[in-house]
Amino acid sequence: MAEELTVSSHIKHHLQNLAFGRKHEEIEPGVWEPTGQWGFALSSGEASQMGFWSIHVDTMFMSIMLGTLMMWYFRSVAKKASAGVPTAMQNFAEWIIEFVDTTVRGSFSGGKTTFVAPLALTIFVWVFLMNLMDLVPVDIFPQIAAHTGSFLFGVDPHDVYFKIVPTTDINAPLGMAITVLLLIIFFSIKIKGLGGFFGELAFQPFGKKMLPFNFALEVVTLLAKPFSLAMRLFGNLYAGEMIFILIAIMYSAGMVIGSLGALLQVGWAIFHILIITLQAFIFMVLTVVYLDMAHQEHH
């Protein structure tokens, strides 16, 4: 029973984000009250009580850091690019840009791609880098964070949480998906006008006589696009992270099971490379397709 609890607490610890928000205290079992202070959550219960306005610091830190790394890489390549023999970095950057540009040209027929192509490149590379963090051994960064918190702030290492895969936190995929939704609405209004946009919501697909039904159906369809984008990315990466955690637990079960775990980890990591790349590609392509649909007039 003790082993089960240890395994369970280990899994929960790895699935908990480092949350910063309004502190709460448990005055009796299951009853929490706000203290008026702000700080980091020291337990999963305290993190859940912080509610909607808490900030997942690890998700913000990793996503911003990876986004900065992406921009630094492409900026460095652009500054050093030459017409002569390209470097390996320039070759790789040009290959990614050409791949994304070809994909956009095949999926977007709504006019110039001067905005859509850079957006697609940003989405593909950024989501891929965030997904790629899932291949880092699950205990490395949480252990670094735990020892850092203990050394600098005197916090119990078991009370320090850190998840390095932003896309396993539903807030990151939802944030990107909401941005896509706002872009869909913006371009729909820009291309069709405010009346044309609401006309599509009210009069499609069954005509003016079915206005309430049309509106309800089209609003659900509109909201389902970003929601499905977010849930697809989150679900696949969350499941992948869970499998890595379960495999990591096998190392503590003896030499034979640990050796089997090592083989499983290598096999799953190789297979997972396909998943993280595919999910970044799907997020990019569907964003382009949705923006293309926003540019199309429906009669």
Side-chain angles (χ1 to χ4, degrees):
M1 184 66 180
E3 182 180 353
E4 291 179 2
L5 289 174
T6 302
V7 170
S8 175
S9 62
H10 181 77
I11 293 174
K12 290 179 179 179
H13 192 278
H14 276 288
L15 296 179
Q16 177 63 50
N17 285 97
L18 176 62
F20 180 88
R22 190 178 183 185
K23 302 279 285 185
H24 288 65
E25 62 178 357
E26 193 172 19
I27 57 176
E28 59 182 81
V31 180
W32 296 76
E33 283 191 356
T35 63
Q37 299 177 338
W38 290 72
F40 292 102
L42 301 180
S43 67
S44 57
E46 189 174 349
S48 64
Q49 290 300 318
M50 286 182 174
F52 177 80
W53 294 110
S54 64
I55 299 173
H56 288 177
V57 179
D58 43 8
T59 297
M60 295 292 292
F61 174 79
M62 292 302 300
S63 58
I64 293 173
M65 183 192 73
L66 293 170
T68 303
L69 176 64
M70 173 189 66
M71 291 187 290
W72 170 84
Y73 173 74
F74 282 103
R75 186 175 184 275
S76 298
V77 170
K79 288 178 66 177
K80 299 176 183 178
S82 65
V85 179
T87 63
M89 287 181 62
Q90 183 178 336
N91 264 329
F92 186 63
E94 288 178 352
W95 176 78
I96 295 176
I97 292 171
E98 184 178 354
F99 167 73
V100 172
D101 186 62
T102 302
T103 303
V104 171
R105 291 181 185 277
S107 304
F108 186 80
S109 59
K112 295 182 179 180
T113 61
T114 50
F115 174 81
V116 177
L119 174 67
L121 177 66
T122 302
I123 290 173
F124 178 71
V125 178
W126 195 24
V127 173
F128 175 79
L129 288 176
M130 289 191 284
N131 293 350
L132 188 64
M133 293 298 99
D134 214 9
L135 298 183
V136 178
V138 295
D139 285 317
I140 290 181
F141 277 87
Q143 286 295 326
I144 293 174
H147 290 300
T148 302
S150 176
F151 178 75
L152 294 180
F153 305 106
V155 181
D156 187 338
H158 296 289
D159 293 334
V160 180
Y161 304 92
F162 199 90
K163 288 179 65 176
I164 67 167
V165 189
T167 43
T168 60
D169 178 6
I170 187 59
N171 295 285
L174 272 178
M176 291 186 291
I178 290 172
T179 303
V180 173
L181 174 63
L182 295 177
L183 287 173
I184 292 172
I185 295 173
F186 171 77
F187 281 109
S188 294
I189 296 175
K190 180 181 178 181
I191 300 299
K192 306 161 192 174
L194 191 60
F197 172 63
F198 283 106
E200 283 190 354
L201 295 180
F203 305 138
Q204 299 290 337
F206 301 115
K208 297 181 180 180
K209 294 183 180 180
M210 300 290 288
L211 190 150
F213 184 78
N214 289 335
F215 188 77
L217 181 63
E218 289 298 311
V219 168
V220 170
T221 302
L222 180 65
L223 296 178
K225 292 175 181 178
F227 184 76
S228 63
L229 268 181
M231 294 307 297
R232 182 184 295 105
L233 178 61
F234 166 72
N236 281 277
L237 271 295
Y238 188 89
E241 183 187 39
M242 178 64 76
I243 292 175
F244 274 123
I245 293 173
L246 294 175
I247 292 174
I249 291 173
M250 297 175 67
Y251 288 111
S252 62
M255 184 175 296
V256 176
I257 301 299
S259 300
L260 177 60
L263 292 175
L264 288 174
Q265 187 172 40
V266 172
W268 180 244
I270 294 173
F271 177 71
H272 205 55
I273 293 173
L274 300 176
I275 295 176
I276 63 178
T277 307
L278 182 62
Q279 290 305 314
F281 178 74
I282 290 174
F283 201 101
M284 175 193 71
V285 169
L286 288 181
T287 298
V288 174
V289 170
Y290 293 154
L291 291 179
D292 181 59
M293 294 171 63
H295 281 74
Q296 303 301 320
E297 293 277 2
H298 298 282
H299 301 286

